[in-house]
Amino acid sequence: MTDPFLFFPALTAALFVGGLAMMMLGLVSPSHYWGLMTLVQLPQFTLGFLTGNTVVASISVGAAACFAWMWWNGGGGDGTKRRLRKWARRFRGVRRTAPVSAR
């Protein structure tokens, strides 16, 4: 009988190798590859967390954070950055002084 939890590591490895091959062949950009790798690590983290395997969970979260950082800095987060700048432009700070009676 096979362990059903063996499916997730095999899926993670297949997506990793497939994504790397697609990036090397020029089918996807590096930022898309890093975004895909971020999403690939999330089931692996969930599996490690649910089974109590803290080593797998820690490595998966660390890898997901590293991949997300590379995605963000590689141009993948440009749309998000643009929306955040748009919201920041609409923000107007109001100077609030303490009431006179607060001495």
Side-chain angles (χ1 to χ4, degrees):
M1 183 166 155
T2 61
D3 188 8
F5 289 118
L6 291 177
F7 172 74
F8 289 109
L11 178 66
T12 300
L15 287 173
F16 179 78
V17 171
L20 188 61
M22 288 192 316
M23 186 180 72
M24 293 296 188
L25 293 173
L27 299 174
V28 295
S29 67
S31 65
H32 285 113
Y33 172 72
W34 297 124
L36 175 66
M37 291 301 103
T38 301
L39 296 176
V40 163
Q41 289 300 319
L42 296 178
Q44 193 72 9
F45 160 72
T46 305
L47 172 69
F49 179 76
L50 292 176
T51 59
N53 191 342
T54 58
V55 173
V56 169
S58 301
I59 291 172
S60 295
V61 162
C66 182
F67 292 148
W69 180 82
M70 288 192 278
W71 170 77
W72 181 266
N73 289 321
D78 287 347
T80 305
K81 292 175 197 173
R82 190 172 31 256
R83 285 188 294 276
L84 288 172
R85 277 193 223 105
K86 183 179 175 183
W87 288 347
R89 278 193 302 267
R90 291 189 302 185
F91 176 75
R92 298 287 178 240
V94 177
R95 183 175 176 165
R96 302 191 189 279
T97 57
V100 177
S101 61
R103 292 183 193 197

